[in-house]
Amino acid sequence: MQIARISLEAGPRYAILDHESNEYVVLAGDPIFQGLDTTGQRVPIEGTRVLSPIIPRSKVIGVGKNYMDHVKEMGGELPDAPVLFFKPNTAVIGPQDPIVAPTWAKEISWEAELAVVIGKPCRDVPVDRVDDVIYGYTAANDVTARDIQRAEPQWARAKGFDTSCPLGPVIDLDYDPTDVYVRSTVNGELKQDGRTSQMIRPVKELVSYISHAFSLLPGDVILTGTPAGVGVMTEGDTVTVEVEGLGELTNQLRSR
Ligand code: MG
């Protein structure tokens, strides 16, 4: 099952995608907290604006250097432990929202990633129980001000600025993340084409590791790292992240 958050006249609503009728089935509440009761309203998928499928209440946690080919292209060594960072929830945008380049950054880069949405409060989760705490999966673009990342030892500004975390378009609740493609295109040209099977630390290991540092809450999002093929965008470029089976996440770079 796939759910999206859509913009209706009454405001943002969650909805189930009905791929047979090409309609959204509107939900009564936030499905993470209130389940999948429907209102009976159906709206066509075509022409309906899709929002970020989630606004994390507490945090987005990023993982650096989780694909060896990306570690090599960045010229670094593989760290002993996963490098973690946060993006604030104010960085989150949805499909088709603009990525707004900060005035203080020169190099804005894309990073196509599989994202995990947490469904239950948890901590110290053993690897074999991680599936119990995952709500679903979506796609993310870990947009990075690369020049600032190089210049500053903490990545808060480089990876946490407003609009640096496009998410969506859907959350898939029955998804097998072990071997799916993770791609990005810029202006239609393929830039990244990796597979989650190439992760240095796979999803379950990452979520378990992270839960031993931070309590995880429903709606928290974990970005699982990016494959090789990152580069610099210029104003007006359109970037699309596609994680197999999860739709397309497209955003355009604008200047402030
Ligand atoms: Mg990343």
Side-chain angles (χ1 to χ4, degrees):
M1 181 186 293
Q2 295 189 328
I3 58 171
R5 201 166 61 103
I6 57 176
S7 177
L8 299 180
E9 243 171 60
R13 293 288 185 272
Y14 276 95
I16 297 168
L17 279 81
D18 181 343
H19 290 290
E20 274 180 26
S21 66
N22 278 317
E23 289 173 319
Y24 289 114
V25 180
V26 179
L27 296 176
D30 182 333
I32 292 188
F33 296 95
Q34 289 146 334
L36 295 169
D37 287 346
T38 62
T39 63
Q41 185 185 5
R42 286 173 162 265
V43 293
I45 288 177
E46 180 89 32
T48 299
R49 185 173 166 226
V50 180
L51 307 169
S52 160
I54 192 138
I55 301 290
R57 287 163 176 73
S58 101
K59 54 197 170 292
V60 177
I61 301 162
V63 178
K65 299 183 176 177
N66 198 30
Y67 289 78
M68 200 61 213
D69 56 355
H70 176 62
V71 175
K72 284 181 185 154
E73 77 175 342
M74 299 300 286
E77 296 288 305
L78 181 62
D80 291 336
V83 179
L84 303 183
F85 57 92
F86 291 117
K87 283 176 179 276
N89 59 6
T90 44
V92 171
I93 58 172
Q96 305 298 338
D97 289 336
I99 298 165
V100 182
T103 53
W104 39 262
K106 291 189 178 67
E107 298 175 20
I108 303 298
S109 183
W110 59 86
E111 293 189 2
E113 308 203 5
L114 171 73
V116 179
V117 181
I118 298 297
K120 289 180 186 159
C122 59
R123 67 178 182 195
D124 300 344
V125 184
V127 172
D128 63 0
R129 300 214 26 212
V130 162
D131 277 342
D132 297 346
V133 305
I134 292 179
Y135 186 69
Y137 294 86
T138 189
N141 192 343
D142 174 19
V143 178
T144 301
R146 198 69 72 195
D147 54 327
I148 303 300
Q149 186 188 25
R150 281 194 304 269
E152 300 179 358
Q154 301 279 331
W155 296 349
R157 201 161 72 121
K159 284 180 174 285
F161 62 87
D162 287 359
T163 74
S164 67
C165 192
L167 295 177
V170 299
I171 300 174
D172 194 308
L173 310 189
D174 325 289
Y175 193 72
D176 180 354
T178 49
D179 186 24
V180 291
Y181 68 71
V182 177
R183 292 179 183 156
S184 63
T185 56
V186 176
N187 302 329
E189 189 182 324
L190 186 66
K191 297 291 187 184
Q192 295 180 282
D193 188 11
R195 298 197 71 84
T196 54
S197 51
Q198 299 164 333
M199 285 182 182
I200 293 162
R201 295 175 182 92
V203 167
K204 286 184 189 182
E205 229 176 277
L206 280 180
V207 174
S208 173
Y209 178 82
I210 289 167
S211 78
H212 284 77
F214 316 110
S215 291
L216 297 174
L217 299 179
D220 281 354
V221 173
I222 294 173
L223 312 182
T224 58
T226 201
V230 299
V232 176
M233 288 190 280
T234 52
E235 186 182 350
D237 282 354
T238 296
V239 57
T240 297
V241 170
E242 194 186 352
V243 179
E244 190 167 354
L246 298 180
E248 293 185 351
L249 172 61
T250 298
N251 304 88
Q252 189 176 40
L253 182 67
R254 291 202 201 143
S255 57
R256 189 172 282 279

